[in-house]
Amino acid sequence: MNRDSKAFSLIVKATRLRKDKVYNSFITSPMAPKNKMAPTGRNPIDAINRLVSNQMQQSNILIFPRNLKELGYRKASFLRAKYPIVPAHAISKGKPYSDKMANGLTRCIIDSINHSGGQAERISNTGRVIDKSYTYQDVIGKTKTIGSVKWIPGSGTNGSADISATIAGRSVKIEVKIGKDKLSEDQKKYRDQIEASGGIYIVARSYEGFVLELERRLYE
């Protein structure tokens, strides 16, 4: 590991601690703003995120929020940068993050990747219903239905993952599972195809577990 790599690893560890002493040491440094909660939004969280962002661009390494609280901070920083003329108190924080249910965990993962320099989107492989039926009442008062209802199956690959992402130039597929849910046979075949082609396949059961596994697979 060269000197730049060692320096970057120290920054990564510092951002992981999230303890008062880390913020206090940063606040007293020459880089920190004098006012912790300045009207411009320059607070310790923003400053650390800017420092991390600069290192990310130089090293082509992405740092993801470690837990849901950090993810909330990252989103707030992202929104402040996106709407610079809007006062911080006027920016909607949206629904709090939660990884207890599949939809909530999916949202956490997608936002984490998109707010950290990657690209992620949800894949829906479900089919759709085309309803061509029509209900009417005839002249004697009877209700009748004519036409048909057709089911159009999804066009995606059987067993495809819930989330497709590109992170640091790598293709990453993420399957969201809650509780004791297991991969189906089609999902196992899809996982094997992705990994055989050099991609990364992750089964996510919690947000923090997902981040640990993603960073291990990306930078091992």
Side-chain angles (χ1 to χ4, degrees), residues 10-217:
L10 291 176
I11 294 174
V12 174
K13 291 178 181 178
T15 60
R16 294 289 180 250
L17 293 178
R18 296 299 186 191
K19 294 181 179 179
D20 291 339
K21 63 180 182 180
V22 175
Y23 288 110
N24 290 337
S25 63
F26 186 82
I27 292 168
T28 57
S29 72
M31 298 177 59
K34 294 181 180 180
N35 185 352
K36 296 182 184 179
M37 300 301 294
T40 58
R42 292 187 63 193
N43 54 43
I45 295 169
D46 289 333
I48 288 179
N49 281 337
R50 284 196 299 273
L51 177 63
V52 171
S53 178
N54 291 337
Q55 291 295 328
M56 284 162 46
Q57 293 176 4
Q58 295 174 12
S59 306
N60 195 30
I61 295 179
L62 306 186
I63 298 178
F64 302 91
R66 200 66 168 179
N67 50 50
L68 297 182
K69 185 176 181 179
E70 288 187 20
L71 179 56
Y73 290 151
R74 181 68 62 84
K75 180 180 180 180
S77 180
F78 172 82
L79 292 175
R80 283 194 290 269
K82 185 177 181 180
Y83 305 106
I85 64 174
V86 179
H89 67 272
I91 299 177
S92 175
K93 296 180 180 179
K95 186 178 179 181
Y97 286 110
S98 173
D99 61 355
K100 302 300 181 183
M101 303 296 289
N103 285 338
L105 178 54
T106 300
R107 172 175 172 251
C108 291
I109 293 172
I110 290 177
D111 282 2
S112 176
I113 295 172
N114 286 335
H115 295 340
S116 301
Q119 187 279 333
E121 59 189 9
R122 186 168 190 166
I123 300 176
S124 178
N125 193 32
T126 57
R128 59 193 178 94
V129 174
I130 298 180
D131 189 353
K132 294 184 177 180
S133 62
Y134 174 71
T135 301
Y136 70 99
Q137 196 172 43
D138 62 16
V139 293
I140 61 174
K142 290 185 177 182
T143 300
K144 294 184 178 181
T145 301
I146 59 176
S148 62
V149 177
K150 184 182 295 185
W151 169 260
I152 304 297
S155 58
T157 304
N158 290 338
S160 58
D162 296 312
I163 301 171
S164 176
T166 302
I167 306 172
R170 299 287 302 276
S171 174
V172 181
K173 308 296 183 182
I174 305 153
E175 178 66 28
V176 175
K177 294 292 185 184
I178 297 297
K180 297 181 179 180
D181 287 350
K182 298 181 180 180
L183 295 179
S184 66
E185 291 303 318
D186 285 337
Q187 289 172 337
K188 290 179 181 178
K189 292 178 181 178
Y190 183 81
R191 174 199 61 193
D192 294 342
Q193 291 175 349
I194 294 299
E195 293 182 340
S197 62
I200 297 175
Y201 186 96
I202 295 175
V203 178
R205 297 185 180 276
S206 69
Y207 175 73
E208 293 185 19
F210 159 75
V211 173
L212 289 173
E213 180 63 14
L214 176 62
E215 291 183 341
R216 183 186 72 82
R217 298 286 298 277

